[in-house]
Amino acid sequence: MIQSLVNDVKTYYFERFETMSQGHQFHYASRLAAWSNNQQAIDLLYRLKIAYVNPPHSLNQQQFLSELMHSPQTGRRVAHDLRLPYFEKYPNLFGIEKAIFRVHHLDIVCNVDIRKDFITLCPKTELQRLLSNLSKDHDGLRMLSSFAVNTFYLANIHFGITIESVTPEFWYKIGLSYDLDVKEHLQLLIYLYTHCIIADSNFYSRLIPSQNIPTYQKMISRLEQIIETHFERISLDNKLEFLVAAKIIGLSSSLQHRIYDEVSQSLSHDGNFIIEKLNENTRSDRETFEKSEHRNVLLIMSVEPYIKG
């Protein structure tokens, strides 16, 4: 049954692909292209590349990176109030993460290298200093969660910048100090562990280094227990990202059938896409076709084979 539902969801997003913003189009197509070599996604991504590579408003690559680095935060995100003091403590982190993701996407998806432009704006010494300071701030890392994880891993992958103490085991231990009675802490822990695995795969574009697998297995095992205990308090986004992260390291979860049972009961009344219905994370502003794209592409990825090599 879940395969039939996923096929319907995938078809629905492909048929209405052009109605989404460029950002959601790129997210949907790039994930499926990287995950399973989906040819339809690859073809759509090829059409998107020119528009995505060229910065808006006639800016050059360096000017656009600078704009990203200095752009203020807008809107609210998961655990917004808990995270805000740490975004204020590290005011350049939000923009640097956005800019380093552009470096990543242009390199991996579009085969365009803009690392020199990034380093001109944010020298390696500055990025190393930021990461060094963050590595000593364990409370900050817990709250910043995926924002910090993404920056550490991508700085290493694309610029060779490492902090010796920051290993997968380091991140595992960071995740041991959340207060699991607080719903936002549950979300941040799941983001922390799953993004370690996802980022170490260079966002679905490489195999995980074998020496890191045992620690990631510990992360997945711990998350499985936590999700089982707090199932109704955890969003489908978190649950599906957990299944995706497990699949990257070759694991399947005993919770899979329970999660897919929730999925099967969470179809939107507005079309063939999944929304939050049966847990404590329902948000009316996140139930549109476009705003549900992240959750639905994770659903597709969690069911389809992870093809590498």
Side-chain angles (χ1 to χ4, degrees):
M1 178 179 174
I2 191 63
Q3 185 63 64
S4 175
L5 175 58
V6 167
N7 289 341
D8 289 343
V9 168
K10 183 166 61 172
T11 299
Y12 197 80
Y13 270 89
F14 275 128
E15 288 178 347
R16 291 156 181 79
F17 185 80
E18 302 294 341
T19 69
M20 291 191 290
S21 66
Q22 185 189 93
H24 283 284
Q25 288 181 14
F26 188 86
H27 185 274
Y28 183 80
S30 65
R31 266 51 177 185
L32 292 187
W35 183 262
S36 59
N37 296 329
N38 181 289
Q39 190 59 52
Q40 192 172 1
I42 291 169
D43 293 343
L44 288 169
L45 203 55
Y46 182 79
R47 285 165 42 194
L48 280 172
K49 281 180 181 178
I50 293 176
Y52 190 82
V53 169
N54 293 326
H57 314 306
S58 301
L59 299 175
N60 62 37
Q61 296 292 358
Q62 192 173 125
Q63 289 169 333
F64 187 45
L65 283 176
S66 178
E67 190 174 273
L68 290 175
M69 285 184 185
H70 297 98
S71 60
Q73 290 191 55
T74 57
R76 294 180 64 84
R77 50 199 49 83
V78 170
H80 185 86
D81 294 333
L82 293 175
R83 287 168 144 177
L84 189 58
Y86 296 99
F87 279 122
E88 291 174 347
K89 185 176 181 180
Y90 304 100
N92 54 347
L93 175 65
F94 182 78
I96 283 176
E97 195 237 19
K98 288 180 70 174
I100 207 169
F101 256 119
R102 179 163 174 81
V103 171
H104 163 80
H105 290 320
L106 289 192
D107 179 28
I108 299 302
V109 180
C110 306
N111 198 30
V112 173
D113 187 351
I114 60 169
R115 286 176 298 172
K116 288 183 179 178
D117 294 299
F118 182 96
I119 290 301
T120 298
L121 298 166
C122 179
K124 286 186 178 183
T125 52
E126 181 181 331
L127 187 53
Q128 180 105 24
R129 189 181 311 114
L130 170 64
L131 298 182
S132 179
N133 290 337
L134 272 168
S135 71
K136 301 178 184 72
D137 186 353
H138 292 190
D139 288 337
L141 292 175
R142 274 189 290 275
M143 294 301 106
L144 292 166
S145 188
S146 56
F147 282 91
V149 169
N150 295 340
T151 307
F152 273 90
Y153 275 92
L154 291 177
N156 174 242
I157 290 168
H158 293 290
F159 298 104
I161 295 172
T162 59
I163 305 297
E164 188 175 349
S165 63
V166 179
T167 63
E169 189 66 25
F170 170 89
W171 290 114
Y172 177 77
K173 291 177 179 175
I174 289 291
L176 296 178
S177 302
Y178 286 100
D179 181 352
L180 300 184
D181 290 327
V182 179
K183 186 176 72 173
E184 290 81 4
H185 281 226
L186 283 170
Q187 294 172 303
L188 293 175
L189 169 59
I190 296 170
Y191 282 137
L192 185 87
Y193 280 177
T194 57
H195 272 255
C196 285
I197 297 169
I198 291 167
D200 207 356
S201 76
N202 201 8
F203 291 84
Y204 322 111
S205 65
R206 73 176 190 183
L207 293 173
I208 296 279
S210 59
Q211 68 271 20
N212 295 343
I213 296 289
T215 301
Y216 296 148
Q217 289 172 333
K218 287 199 305 182
M219 290 182 181
I220 292 298
S221 177
R222 182 161 183 255
L223 287 183
E224 187 172 63
Q225 296 171 17
I226 289 168
I227 293 171
E228 183 172 27
T229 301
H230 302 276
F231 197 83
E232 289 77 17
R233 302 174 64 206
I234 295 170
S235 71
L236 267 179
D237 280 81
N238 274 163
K239 292 166 187 166
L240 292 169
E241 196 157 74
F242 159 75
L243 292 180
V244 164
K247 199 166 220 178
I248 289 173
I249 59 171
L251 298 179
S252 60
S253 171
S254 61
L255 292 176
Q256 181 173 289
H257 295 298
R258 189 177 178 188
I259 293 170
Y260 289 147
D261 183 60
E262 181 180 351
V263 165
S264 68
Q265 299 178 67
S266 300
L267 197 65
S268 171
H269 294 299
D270 296 324
N272 288 331
F273 59 95
I274 302 304
I275 62 175
E276 304 284 4
K277 279 188 176 182
L278 303 181
N279 59 66
E280 297 177 13
N281 297 274
T282 56
R283 278 180 55 184
S284 58
D285 62 325
R286 307 294 294 180
E287 293 180 1
T288 65
F289 167 71
E290 180 170 284
K291 294 290 187 182
S292 298
E293 176 269 324
H294 178 267
R295 181 184 314 109
N296 284 267
V297 80
L298 284 172
L299 169 63
I300 296 165
M301 292 161 67
S302 75
V303 170
E304 295 198 340
Y306 182 52
I307 299 172
K308 285 290 148 286

